[in-house]
Amino acid sequence: TVPIIWDGTQTGGTTAPDGTYTFQISATAAGSSVAATNLSFGTVSSVSNGVGGAKLNVTNIGAIDVSSVVEIL
């Protein structure tokens, strides 16, 4: 796992405009492509319980299923 944090600064040093941004990843091992999974992290601000079960409300991400959590730091 390699955490990557972006502070909103663009290549030229200016701040990127507000908006929704995405990222893609790829990985290689010994020169060959290998499977990679991108993950996001955030702070749980609250927990909701509904018909579909418990949801974690994560700042800047939204509501996610508890089963989607891979790691807790």
Side-chain angles (χ1 to χ4, degrees):
T1 301
V2 179
I4 299 172
I5 298 173
W6 180 51
D7 65 1
T9 303
Q10 300 183 94
T11 304
T14 60
T15 301
D18 288 343
T20 301
Y21 293 86
T22 61
F23 64 96
Q24 294 179 313
I25 62 168
S26 61
T28 59
S32 297
S33 294
V34 294
T37 302
N38 56 329
L39 303 173
S40 298
F41 69 91
T43 302
V44 175
S45 57
S46 64
V47 179
S48 302
N49 195 17
V51 176
K55 300 271 188 191
L56 303 176
N57 299 307
V58 181
T59 304
N60 296 327
I61 294 176
I64 63 168
D65 292 326
V66 175
S67 62
S68 297
V69 175
V70 176
E71 184 175 8
I72 298 173
L73 303 173

